[in-house]
Amino acid sequence: SAVGRGPEVPFRSEAYGISAVARGKELRLTLSALDPAAGPPAQDLVFRFGMSGSFRLCPAAELPRHAHLRFLTRESPPRALCFVDPRRFGSWRLGDAWQPERGPCVVSEYQAFRENVLKNLDDRAFDKPICEALLNQKYFNGIGNYLRAEILFRSKIPPFEKARTVLEALKEQEQRKKDPSLTLSKKVKLKQENPDLLELCHTVPMEVIMAEKQLFDPEHSDNYAAFKNWLQCYLVPGMSSLRDRSGRTIWFQGEPGPMAPKGQRPRKTPRKTSPQLKAEPEALSPKVTPHALKQRRRAAANPPKSEEKEEEADGPRKGCAHGRRKVTAAPASPEVPLNVRRSRRTSARRAKGAAPAV
């Protein structure tokens, strides 16, 4: 599209096919002419989806907004396979190379992924809390924000436990699983009943992939409700949340862990409540501040006996309560807004040299 930020794709063919393979958070498309002898050579594109990128198949005459790259079909009427990215965090590049700094895929290369983590535990990346280390694509290629919350929740690991402490314990577990006295059936049962963190990095994304049609298909009317029902921790009412040092929010249950950011208090995700409209005692002007509203309610509960006491109620309430002075203000017209009356009283005090009310 005219506003797309990706490079131009130098591939033109009257009839071609598209194949795809995924690795972690990247997807490689290969465009191949149906007649290799007459068509152009194959073209590879590697996509990153950011937070909002996706592919959508739709009528070519009804392109969605932010369809930054389109592949047209030969049907009549034609359809378009579109790379849609409203936030423009996604991207594509020419060629078949995966990003070199990304490690093995947690889904398709599980054994290589596991070995890559356990043999590099001396890396400084594991000095961080485990919730932050899980977003490091060099070791956890494919894990994102909602997946890390679900994985840590199921493993019952505090999100701000030190990553190295958590992962070094897995080496000891592996040694126990290699105990020759354990039969194969016992090893399988032990693995199923007590999956470790790295195993959950594989099985939890696999749940999403296996249920993809129901959870994420835009044509499915209840797709978002199904996804919410699948979630056990991320955005779930009753769970706590904190911002990690990179500014991302992590949801969890229980204690955050010893490396939790200082100066923050865990926030609870509110539970669902039945919507009720709260009627205000009176219609308020947009200029009325919450402080003024509070004062009006007090005034309604304790009607003033004189202008002098009304002035005392309307006066500033901040600061020390000792030595409060009463200041009598000139009567104001009821049509004058509250903030204007205060401004006039303040100006009158300054002009007369009177001490302001404390």
Side-chain angles (χ1 to χ4, degrees), residues 61-309:
E62 302 174 11
L63 294 177
R65 294 184 62 189
H66 309 290
H68 300 304
L69 194 63
R70 282 100 62 164
F71 304 95
L72 301 177
T73 70
R74 299 186 68 187
E75 300 169 297
S76 183
R79 290 187 293 171
L81 177 65
C82 305
F83 176 64
V84 183
D85 185 19
R87 297 189 181 185
R88 301 191 189 186
F89 291 163
S91 63
W92 68 86
R93 62 184 184 276
L94 304 179
D96 61 353
W98 305 112
Q99 278 189 314
E101 66 270 20
R102 289 181 179 267
C105 176
V106 297
V107 171
S108 61
E109 303 167 298
Y110 171 66
Q111 287 301 329
F113 148 70
R114 187 180 184 93
E115 292 171 6
N116 184 47
V117 172
L118 295 180
K119 75 180 182 181
N120 289 295
L121 290 183
D122 57 345
D123 193 314
R124 293 179 61 185
F126 299 108
D127 291 337
K128 298 181 178 181
I130 186 61
C131 67
E132 296 179 16
L134 283 172
L135 295 183
N136 188 331
Q137 300 301 294
K138 180 179 179 181
Y139 296 107
F140 297 90
N141 186 11
I143 301 301
N145 204 26
Y146 83 89
L147 284 173
R148 69 169 176 171
E150 297 298 312
I151 290 165
L152 291 173
F153 174 77
R154 297 191 192 190
S155 61
K156 298 181 175 60
I157 295 174
F160 290 95
E161 187 67 59
K162 190 173 184 177
R164 186 176 292 106
T165 302
V166 172
L167 296 169
E168 282 181 342
L170 300 187
K171 287 185 175 182
E172 299 177 5
Q173 293 180 19
E174 284 193 340
Q175 293 300 323
R176 289 197 297 268
K177 290 178 182 179
K178 293 178 181 179
D179 187 347
S181 63
L182 290 176
T183 63
L184 180 60
S185 60
K186 287 184 178 180
K187 290 180 180 179
V188 172
K189 185 178 180 181
L190 182 64
K191 184 175 180 179
Q192 290 176 343
E193 292 179 352
N194 302 286
D196 64 37
L197 178 74
L198 298 182
E199 289 169 347
L200 288 171
C201 287
H202 172 73
T203 57
V204 174
M206 283 299 298
E207 288 181 18
V208 180
I209 293 171
M210 298 304 292
E212 183 177 2
K213 178 66 177 177
Q214 184 182 14
L215 294 181
F216 297 108
D217 186 359
E219 302 296 328
H220 199 286
S221 59
D222 297 325
N223 63 324
Y224 185 63
F227 178 61
K228 286 180 66 178
N229 290 336
W230 176 81
L231 293 170
Q232 298 181 28
C233 180
Y234 180 80
L235 290 176
V236 172
M239 296 295 167
S240 300
S241 65
L242 281 171
R243 288 189 179 274
D244 63 22
R245 288 168 180 80
S246 61
R248 305 290 298 275
T249 301
I250 175 69
W251 277 263
F252 60 94
Q253 185 179 52
E255 293 299 320
M259 298 183 72
K262 295 181 180 179
Q264 284 192 56
R265 289 185 178 180
R267 294 181 297 173
K268 283 278 187 181
T269 305
R271 297 184 182 276
K272 292 182 179 179
T273 56
S274 56
Q276 294 180 351
L277 293 177
K278 295 183 179 180
E280 291 292 340
E282 59 182 300
L284 299 178
S285 165
K287 295 182 179 179
V288 177
T289 64
H291 183 63
L293 173 60
K294 192 173 182 181
Q295 292 175 340
R296 287 191 179 188
R297 287 175 175 166
R298 286 178 181 167
N302 302 298
K305 295 182 180 180
S306 65
E307 290 181 0
E308 183 178 64
K309 290 193 175 182

Side-chain angles (χ1 to χ4, degrees), residues 332-354:
S333 174
E335 290 80 15
V336 179
L338 182 63
N339 58 347
V340 175
R341 296 205 306 269
R342 289 180 180 164
S343 177
R344 290 179 178 178
R345 288 196 295 267
T346 304
S347 300
R349 293 189 192 108
R350 291 173 178 171
K352 294 178 181 180

